Structures are given as structure tokens and as C-alpha cells.
Amino acid sequence: MEIYYLSAHELKNKLEKKEISSIEITKSVFKRIGEVEEKLNSFIRLEKENALSRAKEVDKLITSGSSVKDLMGIPVAVKDNICTRNITTTCASRILENYIPVYNASVIERLESFSYILVGKANMDEFAMGSSNENSYFGPVRNPWDITRVPGGSSGGPAACVAAGEAVCALGSDTGGSIRQPASLCGVVGFKPTYGLVSRYGLVAFASSLDQIGPITRDVRDCAAVLNIICGHDENDSTSINTKVPDYKSFLVPDIKDLKIGIPRELMVEGIDREVREKIFSVIKMAEDMGAKVEEISIPSLKYALSVYYIIAPSEASSNLARFDGVRYGYRNIKAKTLREMYRKSRAEGFGDEVKRRIMIGTYCLSAGYYDAYYEKAQRVRTLIINDFKKAFDRFDVLLSPTSPTTAFKIGEKIDDPLTMYLSDICTIPVNLAGLPAVSIPAGLSGDKLPIGVQIIGNILREDNVIKAAYSLEKAIGFNSRPEL
Ligand code: GLN
């Protein structure tokens, strides 16, 4: 196996035994980038020189007897909406094309304290709005399994680069599915933690009550290791949960005997591909064979989740994105003659179509006279969804569903039809509305060799059950295919 395809824990073993150095790992990853990046466009910016010099420092630490921590000397990609000090953070938008943060996001500080290596800033849908990574000012990302297809979104870059060996793991953000759906379409593992478990300080806000940072990795073990590093209380984020965080690696046990798994009927909706459905049923069968108790459940309010999300997310976005006014951040139209004209032109030229669409929907939903009918109503239905999930978790330890109704679709196929595009997240969005943890793991390949993902959802702060189930099923599934690139 090529070095760039090894998992972080395999590499850690080799680093400990001095069978490999961080510089070798980093060089291997950048060689791979040289071979495939032109086809994939996973990155907005690469940090080759810094990465190589960091790797040298890490090697010195290791030779001088320092113990090898998780992710130490391991090349990691970071989605370009997570602030990195002195390194551009564009959100794949023209408006932030030249924005250089003066501080690190809290998750970056934590990765740094573990001596990780930053490969570069990964491509994404502009401001994390999208399901196909076609909404990037820096061009679309292509799926490593078939470069005529999308990698999913909005963390298309992080998922594609991990799948293709351009990074060992990555950080993404998930507001309605943006970690899990691209992970599913690219055949990797993507985890959205409980809302508030990972600090959002330094994550450029899209919809603050839904956004959450999480790992994209090649396997569940790496996922648990990254969670250990990035989870935990942060006083810089007022929504951060102040609780003792367990060692997530302690849940890596292949045992789901007597685990109660619910299959929400509403997430096995019409419009799920036949092959996806069959794959999910084969995973359910595996779970039963391992002694889990599987039962169907109905969660009626889930049918409103998509509508609720497309009121709440754009509303919060319209408010969050008001700060990009040509004065405080980013792009400014310098020919404008009046202040109003400067605002108008800077925003008109700085934002792409999807972002403008969301700002318009959100501003409309929040405006006097419509607020009660849309935003407030949506919040009420959101509470129903939260309560329904609570009831479901009285009976079940985890819920299981497809991650995405389809495998990767063709580039261009849905871009002119926003409503069809919005359906891509029908299985993932309810999870964000209720703040739950959920993971997508690869379930296998379709007939035309495209990855299919299965989603495992847990109750608030029950990452333990999610990891246990994911780890056990990952073992049973035994997915080890790689894209041919
Ligand atoms: N695809 C969804 C959207 O466009 C979710 C995006 C996300 O999770 N950031 O809003």
C-alpha cells in the first residue's frame, strides 16, 4: 500500500517504530497531490513549504525521544471556512478571496498542540451552501471515483482529498449534512458531533444554531482519534458544552450485541435509489447477525425537516452574512461613488448565486409581517422534531439510514434546479435540527463503482453508541476499495 493511503493510526505505529518519518509521509502526500490535484481541484490553497518544514521539526522531536501523539506529523486538510492564522480563509467566496485571519480557530490551536501538519485549505461550496461543491468561486471539485461526478458538498474538497490520498484526514463543517454527504459520495468516514461538543470559534458562521466542525477520515478509528483532539469546552464559544469528554477511542469495540437500532421509515423515503436501499438493508442484516435488535420506527415530524431547514438556515445566514459589507472584510468595489452603492456593488460582485438566493430567502423570512409565519413557525416545528427524536431514543440506542438518497451525480446535473439539489440532504438535515451526533461510513460500492454510505445517528452526547456501532459495522462491511485515479 502506498504511504499516502495509510490511515493516521497505521502511520502513527510506523512513526513510533521509526519505520517512517513525517517528512516521508508528507512528501508522499504532496507527490500524490502533484499527480491528481489537477483532475480533482480539492484544494484552494496548498501549504507545501510550511508542511515540509513542520514535518522536519516533528521528526526532530521524535528522534529526540518525544512520544508520538495521535496526528503528530500527519498531513491534515482543513476546510477553507476554518480560520488559520496568516493563511487565507476564503470560504470559497470572491468576497473573502484575500482574507487572512489574524487568529486560529480553536480546533486549529488544538491540532497544533498535537503537532499536526497542515496540507492546505480544502475547497468547498461558497460559505458551505451546497451539496455538490459546484458553488465554489474556485471551481468545482471532482469525485475521485469518477471525475465527471460531484464529490458532494459542501465539504467536497475535504472528502475528495482524503479519498484520493491527498491528505490522511481532514476537518469539515456540517450544517445540514456537509460532512456526512460528501463522505458518503467519496467512500470515506465523516462524523458530525453533538452540537456544542466542538468549538465553533473561528469557523466562519453559516447557520450558527446548526453548524458543527467534525472529522473526515479513512476509518472510524481515526475519526475517534480526531474527535478526542477537537472536542471539549471552549469559553470562546458561548454554545460550547461544558462537560467532561470521554476518550472516544475507548468505544472502538466490535460489539453491538443487544444494541437497539431503529430504522426511521421517513428516512427510507421515496426517491432513494434501489441500489442504495439494497445496500442499507444488507448492512441492517449484518447488524442483526451480530446480535443487534433492529426495528422500524416512524418519526412523523421528519417529513417537515427539509422545509424547516430551508427557512432556519437561510434566515441565520442572511443575518451572519450581513457583516460582509465591503468595509470590514474582504472584497470592495472601489469605483462606487456613494456608501450605498459601495455596499450594493461589493455584495453583488462578491457573492455567488446560491449565497444570494439564501440571503434573499432568509431576509424575506425574517422581515416584519412574515417572521411569525415563517421563522417562528419553523422554530416551533423544529421543537417537534427534537421531541420526536427524544422519544425515539427512549426506545433505541442508535438510528440507521442511508446518508444520501443517491450515489454521486454528474457535474451539472442538478445545478440549475435548486429544489432537487436541496433533496440531497434529506437524510442528514434532521440530525442538525436536533443537534444530534451522526456518522457516515462506507457501506460498499454500487454497480457502477460509486460509494454508498450508511448513516448512524445517536442521542445527544451519545457519541459512544455511534462510534461502537460504526466501528462494528465497519468491520463487518470490510470496505477496502480505493478509487482508480
Ligand atoms: N447542503 C446543505 C445546504 O446547502 C447543507 C450544507 C451544509 O451542511 N453546510 O445548506
Side-chain angles (χ1 to χ4, degrees), residues 253-268:
V253 280
D255 178 16
I256 50 168
K257 197 166 172 304
D258 297 328
L259 193 82
K260 292 193 242 33
I261 304 180
I263 313 294
R265 200 175 301 149
E266 291 76 12
L267 298 185
M268 281 295 206

Side-chain angles (χ1 to χ4, degrees), residues 79 81 125 127-132 135 153-155 173-181 206 210-211 309-310 313-314 354 358 421-422 424-425 428-429 432:
K79 189 176 181 180
N81 58 350
D125 282 300
F127 284 102
M129 297 174 189
S131 310
S132 67
N135 299 330
S154 65
S155 310
S173 69
D174 191 313
T175 304
S178 278
I179 288 175
R180 292 158 287 155
Q181 185 257 14
F206 160 15
L210 302 159
D211 298 340
Y309 175 86
Y310 277 101
E354 183 61 27
R358 307 271 179 124
M421 186 72 94
Y422 293 170
S424 313
D425 296 301
T428 49
I429 274 174
N432 299 70

Side-chain angles (χ1 to χ4, degrees), residues 164-457:
E166 295 181 295
V168 178
C169 47
L171 288 188
S173 69
D174 191 313
T175 304
S178 278
I179 288 175
R180 292 158 287 155
Q181 185 257 14
S184 167
L185 270 44
C186 290
V188 291
V189 176
F191 200 109
K192 184 207 95 75
T194 298
Y195 181 78
L197 195 57
V198 178
S199 171
R200 291 182 295 113
Y201 181 67
L203 168 69
V204 180
F206 160 15
S208 312
S209 77
L210 302 159
D211 298 340
Q212 194 57 187
I213 295 174
I216 295 183
T217 60
R218 300 225 176 89
D219 61 22
V220 177
R221 182 174 291 278
D222 277 1
C223 208
V226 179
L227 278 177
N228 273 348
I229 296 172
I230 62 174
C231 284
H233 183 241
D234 178 11
E235 60 184 24
N236 285 331
D237 172 0
S238 62
T239 59
S240 166
I241 303 176
N242 196 349
T243 176
K244 203 169 158 327
V245 183
D247 173 8
Y248 294 105
K249 287 200 288 185
S250 69
F251 308 126
L252 298 167
V253 280
D255 178 16
I256 50 168
K257 197 166 172 304
D258 297 328
L259 193 82
K260 292 193 242 33
I261 304 180
I263 313 294
R265 200 175 301 149
E266 291 76 12
L267 298 185
M268 281 295 206
V269 283
E270 251 175 82
I272 304 255
D273 274 0
R274 184 184 53 80
E275 276 187 298
V276 172
R277 192 180 289 270
E278 283 171 7
K279 205 51 104 193
I280 301 307
F281 281 120
S282 78
V283 174
I284 293 173
K285 176 86 183 25
M286 289 176 201
E288 285 174 329
D289 289 347
M290 286 188 283
K293 308 246 178 316
V294 185
E295 225 180 281
E296 201 185 59
I297 177 186
S298 173
I299 309 181
S301 59
L302 291 194
K303 57 178 175 295
Y304 305 118
L306 200 65
S307 317
V308 167
Y309 175 86
Y310 277 101
I311 291 172
I312 292 178
S315 296
E316 293 184 14
S318 73
S319 164
N320 276 325
L321 271 56
R323 75 192 71 179
F324 304 107
D325 55 4
V327 178
R328 284 170 291 187
Y329 299 94
Y331 175 78
R332 173 187 295 179
N333 177 300
I334 47 169
K335 293 205 191 100
K337 295 201 178 56
T338 65
L339 182 64
R340 269 190 99 81
E341 189 188 352
M342 190 281 289
Y343 285 153
R344 194 156 31 82
K345 290 201 165 147
S346 299
R347 286 170 67 85
E349 291 158 14
F351 289 134
D353 288 348
E354 183 61 27
V355 175
K356 287 180 191 160
R357 184 179 297 127
R358 307 271 179 124
I359 292 174
M360 285 190 284
I361 296 173
T363 308
Y364 179 82
C365 292
L366 292 180
S367 55
Y370 294 105
Y371 178 91
D372 299 352
Y374 293 104
Y375 188 73
E376 199 192 288
K377 183 72 156 282
Q379 289 290 25
R380 286 171 189 274
V381 182
R382 183 178 187 177
T383 304
L384 287 181
I385 293 171
I386 293 171
N387 290 340
D388 274 2
F389 267 121
K390 264 194 203 137
K391 275 187 226 144
F393 285 113
D394 286 341
R395 286 176 54 202
F396 297 102
D397 300 307
V398 294
L399 305 173
L400 192 143
S401 78
T403 308
S404 159
T406 67
T407 53
F409 45 91
K410 290 272 183 190
I411 292 174
E413 193 180 318
K414 300 188 181 175
I415 194 70
D416 297 323
D417 185 356
L419 288 183
T420 308
M421 186 72 94
Y422 293 170
L423 284 170
S424 313
D425 296 301
I426 191 140
C427 300
T428 49
I429 274 174
V431 169
N432 299 70
L433 290 171
L436 306 170
V439 69
S440 176
I441 62 167
L445 295 179
S446 68
D448 42 7
K449 295 233 163 348
L450 295 170
I452 295 171
V454 54
Q455 174 175 239
I456 301 157
I457 308 168

